Amino acid sequence: MHTFKTIFDQYNWDAVQARIEQCSERDVEKALHASKRSLTDFIALISPAARAYLEPMAEISHRRTKQRFGKTIQLYAPMYLSNECQNICTYCGFSLDNKIKRKTLSDKEIMQEVAALKAMGFDHVLLVTGEANYTVNILYFLNAIEQIKTQFAHISVEVQPLTTEEYILLHQAGVHSVLVYQETYHREVYKTYHPKGKKSNFDFRLDTPDRIGLSGMHKIGLGVLLGLEDWRTDSFFTALHIDYLQKEYWQSKYSVSFPRLRPAEGIIEPNFIMEDRDLLQLICAYRLWNEDLELSISTREQALFRDHIIPLGITSMSAASKTNPGGYAVDLQSLEQFETSDERTASEMAAVITRAGYEPVWKDWDKAYRH
Ligand code: SF4
């Protein structure tokens, strides 16, 4: 089967990194003035040379986002269903080698969490689990979706990579989008971060968005864990991946998330520091390259940064997030996957968005239009 791997294998990490580092101011100016921007322009826009052009990049990003999405920010909340996991990932609090209390929500507990999220006003939920095939599998997901589907206008999932047939089942059950992060596209070091479990298979993960695309899923979310490896090179590969998927599975929409490595129980320190201005540059570069991408920022980021980024390219934000199973109502103290930074309530976040001149959107009307 033809997949992204065929294209990915034509690239070399070090050569891509060198190409980004060597971009000149002239390359950046050419990219800024292009009417339609290519991946070559994206490379220039994420390069160190583009750091001096943050202001014009932010200005164009603001304008393009406003034209394409209006002055709106979608709000969603993650709902962690389980912290059971059979993988070792060196950056995650749920890693198999962390001796924490494991928990998977029962039907009753799921509905308690749903009630808490609904009371906060959420209509878009992101279901999250670790990777535990025996307990948190397709049957568990389908059962959970069946229970909650009348409660939310939009259901996204961020769970273990599945087969195409399983993604079709999720799609038929009412799932709107699937998120799967490669974490890093650096094949050689990937294994050091994922030494044990199914996730240590780089190629299986790399081909996952192909399987999601084949299922006809409405939206596919990609990203890397910023801080593991050089963010510029990893972001080029993310863009290359999206470029391929958009051509191959044109019926789906695409989103990018920007998780920066955060503290969690027993995890490693970031290898590469990504400063706020780097993240701003990256968000603007994505928007300048691709006006259709949905760009999402979570509560990993601090309140001040989130407030500033509202008009500069972002289209969706999580709010009041808990990253532990049962964190909203059932078991407030269970161990988090990572620490959040912005702990404001959902209504406080909505007020901030309104004050910035934007409309906080709780309901995703896109689904209604499709039908
Ligand atoms: S990142 Fe995902 S797969 Fe890895 S340990 Fe955490 S929950 Fe498990």
Side-chain angles (χ1 to χ4, degrees):
M1 187 183 120
H2 170 74
T3 64
F4 176 61
K5 185 174 174 302
T6 324
I7 292 171
F8 178 77
D9 284 346
Q10 296 167 18
Y11 288 81
N12 169 279
W13 176 279
D14 292 341
V16 168
Q17 188 169 20
R19 192 172 154 201
I20 297 169
E21 296 290 327
Q22 284 159 13
C23 281
S24 65
E25 294 194 351
R26 204 161 152 254
D27 297 323
V28 179
E29 285 176 16
K30 189 169 156 279
L32 279 177
H33 294 114
S35 54
K36 193 165 170 24
R37 298 182 183 92
S38 63
L39 273 173
T40 304
D41 294 319
F42 181 77
I43 288 176
L45 294 170
I46 58 171
S47 72
R51 291 193 102 198
Y53 294 84
L54 218 43
E55 219 169 289
M57 283 176 70
E59 162 60 24
I60 302 171
S61 180
H62 164 71
R63 244 186 304 121
R64 286 199 105 192
T65 312
K66 200 168 74 173
Q67 274 163 9
R68 174 67 182 80
F69 295 92
K71 293 180 83 176
T72 61
I73 299 284
Q74 301 263 348
L75 284 169
Y76 73 94
M79 183 165 122
Y80 279 67
L81 298 175
S82 174
N83 62 10
E84 292 190 63
C85 194
Q86 292 161 341
N87 292 328
I88 293 182
C89 301
T90 55
Y91 47 79
C92 177
F94 294 170
S95 187
L96 177 69
D97 53 349
N98 277 348
K99 300 292 167 235
I100 59 165
K101 196 174 133 218
R102 303 289 167 168
K103 175 153 191 72
T104 295
L105 299 189
S106 66
D107 289 1
K108 189 171 156 221
E109 289 170 334
I110 289 173
M111 293 320 287
Q112 282 176 259
E113 292 289 283
V114 167
L117 286 175
K118 294 299 292 181
M120 287 186 245
F122 286 108
D123 212 11
H124 176 180
V125 69
L126 167 66
L127 303 181
V128 188
T129 69
E131 298 192 15
N133 295 324
Y134 296 114
T135 45
V136 195
N137 50 30
I138 185 70
L139 294 176
Y140 180 86
F141 304 141
L142 292 174
N143 175 58
I145 291 155
E146 181 60 27
Q147 284 194 72
I148 70 169
K149 70 180 181 195
T150 56
Q151 302 289 319
F152 295 100
H154 188 131
I155 300 174
S156 305
V157 300
E158 187 184 333
V159 300
Q160 58 182 297
L162 301 170
T163 63
T164 305
E165 291 70 29
E166 289 171 328
Y167 284 126
I168 291 172
L169 290 174
L170 287 185
H171 189 35
Q172 289 168 345
V175 170
H176 201 66
S177 16
V178 178
L179 281 60
V180 62
Y181 304 146
Q182 186 62 29
E183 316 296 10
T184 177
Y185 286 85
H186 197 318
R187 185 193 286 277
E188 286 71 37
V189 301
Y190 180 89
K191 190 84 186 185
T192 62
Y193 296 118
H194 309 100
K196 189 171 183 302
K198 221 169 147 193
K199 194 165 175 178
S200 59
N201 186 337
F202 180 90
D203 287 346
F204 184 71
R205 199 164 185 91
L206 191 69
D207 281 346
T208 302
D210 274 280
R211 298 195 299 279
I212 305 171
L214 283 170
S215 77
M217 192 62 66
H218 184 60
K219 189 158 56 185
I220 306 172
L222 274 72
V224 289
L225 186 50
L226 299 162
L228 284 187
E229 290 302 313
D230 172 43
W231 66 265
R232 293 188 163 92
T233 312
D234 256 334
S235 299
F236 164 76
F237 281 109
T238 312
L240 183 72
H241 206 160
I242 291 168
D243 188 56
Y244 157 83
L245 292 166
Q246 280 187 318
K247 288 172 185 144
E248 206 68 32
Y249 310 103
W250 51 267
Q251 80 280 17
S252 298
K253 287 179 161 190
Y254 295 88
S255 68
V256 181
S257 304
F258 301 92
R260 275 199 281 189
L261 197 51
R262 292 281 304 149
E265 181 81 15
I267 72 152
I268 54 161
E269 289 291 312
N271 256 349
F272 292 82
I273 301 298
M274 184 186 212
E275 295 172 3
D276 285 357
R277 58 178 297 168
D278 296 330
L279 184 50
L280 172 62
Q281 181 186 350
L282 180 60
I283 289 166
C284 294
Y286 270 115
R287 177 59 67 224
L288 266 63
W289 168 60
N290 192 322
E291 67 177 5
D292 292 328
L293 282 182
E294 295 188 19
L295 304 178
S296 184
I297 277 285
S298 78
T299 55
R300 284 175 185 257
E301 295 303 328
Q302 294 187 346
L304 193 62
F305 181 79
R306 277 165 49 96
D307 293 357
H308 279 127
I309 204 77
I310 290 170
L312 300 179
I314 286 300
T315 55
S316 85
M317 291 177 130
S318 54
S321 303
K322 300 293 176 202
T323 68
N324 47 334
Y328 298 105
V330 173
D331 184 359
L332 309 192
Q333 300 307 324
S334 69
L335 187 98
E336 300 165 312
Q337 187 186 31
F338 57 86
E339 288 175 21
T340 54
S341 292
D342 185 351
E343 296 188 341
R344 290 174 291 186
T345 65
S347 54
E348 282 169 348
M349 199 59 229
V352 167
I353 293 168
T354 307
R355 274 201 299 278
Y358 279 66
E359 183 192 351
V361 177
W362 301 89
K363 193 177 188 75
D364 185 357
W365 289 105
D366 187 60
K367 191 178 167 193
Y369 289 143
R370 277 197 311 135
H371 296 295

